[in-house]
Amino acid sequence: AWECQEIPQPEPTPEEQKEMRIAELKAQLDGTDYKIIKCSEYSLAGVELPYDIAELHAQRQALRDEINELEK
Protein backbone atom coordinates (compact mmCIF):
# COMPACT_ATOMS: atom_id res chain seq x y z
CA ALA A 1 0.00 0.00 0.00
CA TRP A 2 1.14 3.49 -0.78
CA GLU A 3 1.62 5.95 1.99
CA CYS A 4 1.85 9.71 1.48
CA GLN A 5 4.45 11.48 3.50
CA GLU A 6 4.86 15.19 3.79
CA ILE A 7 8.25 16.34 2.62
CA PRO A 8 9.64 18.80 5.17
CA GLN A 9 10.29 22.21 3.67
CA PRO A 10 13.46 24.03 4.63
CA GLU A 11 13.03 27.08 6.83
CA PRO A 12 13.05 30.31 4.82
CA THR A 13 16.33 32.20 4.88
CA PRO A 14 16.37 35.62 6.53
CA GLU A 15 16.31 37.20 3.06
CA GLU A 16 13.30 35.09 2.06
CA GLN A 17 11.55 36.01 5.32
CA LYS A 18 12.18 39.68 4.58
CA GLU A 19 10.80 39.32 1.04
CA MET A 20 7.74 37.50 2.38
CA ARG A 21 7.12 40.30 4.89
CA ILE A 22 7.47 42.96 2.19
CA ALA A 23 4.95 41.09 0.01
CA GLU A 24 2.56 40.82 2.97
CA LEU A 25 2.84 44.54 3.72
CA LYS A 26 2.32 45.48 0.05
CA ALA A 27 -0.77 43.27 -0.05
CA GLN A 28 -2.12 45.09 3.03
CA LEU A 29 -1.44 48.41 1.33
CA ASP A 30 -3.14 47.24 -1.87
CA GLY A 31 -6.08 46.07 0.20
CA THR A 32 -6.80 49.62 1.34
CA ASP A 33 -6.50 51.28 -2.08
CA TYR A 34 -10.26 51.12 -2.56
CA LYS A 35 -10.75 53.18 0.61
CA ILE A 36 -8.50 55.91 -0.77
CA ILE A 37 -10.38 55.86 -4.07
CA LYS A 38 -13.73 56.13 -2.27
CA CYS A 39 -12.46 59.02 -0.14
CA SER A 40 -11.23 60.81 -3.25
CA GLU A 41 -14.56 60.29 -5.01
CA TYR A 42 -16.55 61.46 -1.98
CA SER A 43 -14.28 64.48 -1.57
CA LEU A 44 -14.73 65.47 -5.21
CA ALA A 45 -18.48 65.09 -4.84
CA GLY A 46 -18.42 67.28 -1.74
CA VAL A 47 -19.91 64.66 0.56
CA GLU A 48 -18.75 63.35 3.92
CA LEU A 49 -15.89 60.86 3.63
CA PRO A 50 -16.77 57.23 4.33
CA TYR A 51 -13.52 56.65 6.26
CA ASP A 52 -11.39 58.63 8.70
CA ILE A 53 -8.80 59.85 6.20
CA ALA A 54 -6.25 60.85 8.84
CA GLU A 55 -6.35 57.39 10.42
CA LEU A 56 -6.32 55.70 7.01
CA HIS A 57 -3.32 57.77 5.92
CA ALA A 58 -1.46 57.00 9.16
CA GLN A 59 -2.06 53.27 8.75
CA ARG A 60 -0.96 53.28 5.12
CA GLN A 61 2.10 55.40 5.89
CA ALA A 62 3.14 52.97 8.65
CA LEU A 63 2.98 50.16 6.08
CA ARG A 64 5.06 52.20 3.61
CA ASP A 65 7.60 53.06 6.31
CA GLU A 66 8.05 49.40 7.23
CA ILE A 67 8.36 48.41 3.56
CA ASN A 68 10.97 51.12 2.97
CA GLU A 69 12.92 50.04 6.05
CA LEU A 70 12.93 46.40 4.94
CA GLU A 71 13.97 47.31 1.39
CA LYS A 72 17.09 49.17 2.59
Side-chain angles (χ1 to χ4, degrees):
W2 291 94
E3 185 179 314
C4 291
Q5 291 183 341
E6 190 173 319
I7 299 171
Q9 298 296 319
E11 288 293 318
T13 66
E15 187 62 31
E16 290 169 333
Q17 289 176 349
K18 183 167 75 169
E19 290 302 318
M20 289 167 40
R21 179 65 179 153
I22 290 170
E24 177 186 315
L25 292 166
K26 286 183 177 182
Q28 289 178 27
L29 193 58
D30 290 347
T32 60
D33 284 351
Y34 76 95
K35 290 181 177 182
I36 293 297
I37 293 167
K38 282 186 91 168
C39 283
S40 177
E41 178 183 343
Y42 278 50
S43 178
L44 290 170
V47 292
E48 185 177 342
L49 301 182
Y51 304 102
D52 180 340
I53 194 67
E55 181 181 331
L56 182 58
H57 171 70
Q59 292 169 349
R60 289 172 56 87
Q61 190 58 51
L63 293 170
R64 286 188 208 96
D65 291 345
E66 188 173 348
I67 291 167
N68 291 337
E69 189 62 35
L70 289 167
E71 288 180 335
K72 283 184 182 178

